[in-house]
């Protein structure tokens, strides 16, 4: 079941778009089922749950942390996490760098940008992100590797609005990448179960899909 759903999503995704199977709130047995079908990238958004699943499941899984990460919890996932999607402050980036050093790792991360019309306290506003990149503070963090942007669109049925939000993220990605990164950024993480077809038409190369694969979360 899980395997069939993953395969039907993979058939639709353009080449070069990676699938993060968002397994939060679902049991390890369902992750194992997806793993047996060939899926290797899984996304979780709670630290304790992620650590438990990491310990229980095969060690070649690429674990992505996709939720809001509290600085005091970075230390628990730093030894093994493959990508942290939602860096929303200098403070968090600094802590990831510190914990990565302690583990002798370089941890890949994405910056979260807030393009949705919804109120949320998470993510850099586009102008804040530009100011932060301009400040150069991130260059001091030698044990993190910033690889791109992550965003979420407004939860709405208005496809044109969703498309314009993803388009804004794409333009921001290109601007930052050209201006400060010499084109080294590679990852554009946007698109979930309800909006990933729009996301891949507007620049996404990493989709984070949960309920469409694993069913509704309980
Ligand atoms: C839960 C979650 C997803 C997956 O959402 P679905 O609608 O179940 O596909 C994607 N991204 C983030 C940040 C999430 O928290």
């Amino acid at each position: 079941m899980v395997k069939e759903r993953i395969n039907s999503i993979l058939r639709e995704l353009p080449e070069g778009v990676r699938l993060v199977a968002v397994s939060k709130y679902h049991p390890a047995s369902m992750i194992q089922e997806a793993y047996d079908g060939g899926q290797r990238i899984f996304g979780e958004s709670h630290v304790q749950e992620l650590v438990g699943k990491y310990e229980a499941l095969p060690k070649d899984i690429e674990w992505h942390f996709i939720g809001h990460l509290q600085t005091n919890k970075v230390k628990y996932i730093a030894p093994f996490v493959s990508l942290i999607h939602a860096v929303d402050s200098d403070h968090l980036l600094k802590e990831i760098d510190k914990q990565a050093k302690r583990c002798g790792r370089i941890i890949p991360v994405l910056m979260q940008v807030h393009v949705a019309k919804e109120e949320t306290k998470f993510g850099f506003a586009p102008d804040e992100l530009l100011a932060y990149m301009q400040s150069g503070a991130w260059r001091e963090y030698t044990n993190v590797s910033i690889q791109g942007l992550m965003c979420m669109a407004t939860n709405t049925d208005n496809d044109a609005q969703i498309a314009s939000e993803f388009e804004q993220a794409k333009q921001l990605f290109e601007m930052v990448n050209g201006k400060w990164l010499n084109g080294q950024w590679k990852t554009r993480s946007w698109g979930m179960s309800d909006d990933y077809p729009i996301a891949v038409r507007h620049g996404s190369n990493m989709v984070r899909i949960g309920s469409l694969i694993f069913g509704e979360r309980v």
Side-chain angles (χ1 to χ4, degrees):
M1 197 66 161
V2 162
K3 183 182 162 187
E4 282 72 27
R5 290 194 196 130
I6 288 176
N7 284 338
S8 80
I9 293 166
L10 290 176
R11 272 195 299 273
E12 282 174 42
L13 289 179
E15 213 179 299
V17 179
R18 278 180 294 164
L19 170 64
V20 179
V22 176
S23 48
K24 63 186 184 197
Y25 303 121
H26 293 290
S29 59
M30 286 182 96
I31 301 176
Q32 184 70 50
E33 207 182 319
Y35 177 93
D36 292 339
Q39 178 67 24
R40 289 294 179 273
I41 310 177
F42 294 90
E44 291 281 337
S45 58
H46 297 277
V47 166
Q48 230 182 334
E49 185 179 348
L50 171 54
V51 170
K53 287 173 173 174
Y54 165 74
E55 284 166 358
L57 286 156
K59 291 296 170 285
D60 61 339
I61 287 178
E62 239 185 75
W63 291 106
H64 289 198
F65 194 84
I66 62 170
H68 176 66
L69 182 56
Q70 289 172 275
T71 46
N72 62 346
K73 295 193 174 165
V74 173
K75 58 178 175 287
Y76 301 114
I77 63 170
F80 66 86
V81 71
S82 290
L83 181 64
I84 295 174
H85 283 235
V87 172
D88 58 2
S89 69
D90 176 68
H91 186 57
L92 177 57
L93 198 59
K94 183 177 184 168
E95 178 65 14
I96 296 170
D97 180 61
K98 178 180 157 191
Q99 296 301 332
K101 274 197 185 77
R102 290 175 57 159
C103 302
R105 298 188 66 204
I106 292 176
I107 298 183
V109 306
L110 305 176
M111 306 300 275
Q112 180 177 12
V113 62
H114 177 57
V115 290
K117 299 289 171 287
E118 287 162 335
E119 282 297 314
T120 157
K121 39 190 193 303
F122 303 130
F124 288 88
D127 57 332
E128 286 172 354
L129 181 73
L130 294 174
Y132 182 67
M133 297 311 293
Q134 176 65 34
S135 79
W138 50 280
R139 293 187 195 274
E140 293 168 30
Y141 305 136
T142 50
N143 286 65
V144 295
S145 163
I146 309 177
Q147 305 194 332
L149 288 187
M150 176 270 201
C151 76
M152 278 188 273
T154 303
N155 184 8
T156 170
D157 290 334
N158 184 342
D159 287 1
Q161 183 182 342
I162 294 170
S164 91
E165 291 170 1
F166 288 147
E167 200 56 41
Q168 195 190 350
K170 181 179 170 219
Q171 283 167 15
L172 200 62
F173 177 96
E174 280 159 9
M175 179 186 283
V176 172
N177 208 14
K179 202 162 172 189
W180 293 288
L181 279 306
N182 297 317
Q184 290 173 66
W185 272 12
K186 297 289 177 237
T187 305
R188 295 174 297 275
S189 168
W190 47 88
M192 323 200 319
S193 291
D194 288 338
D195 59 17
Y196 80 90
I198 306 174
V200 296
R201 287 196 296 273
H202 295 277
S204 170
N205 63 7
M206 182 175 279
V207 292
R208 310 177 308 264
I209 300 182
S211 42
L212 203 60
I213 296 171
F214 297 105
E216 290 304 318
R217 290 179 284 275
V218 284

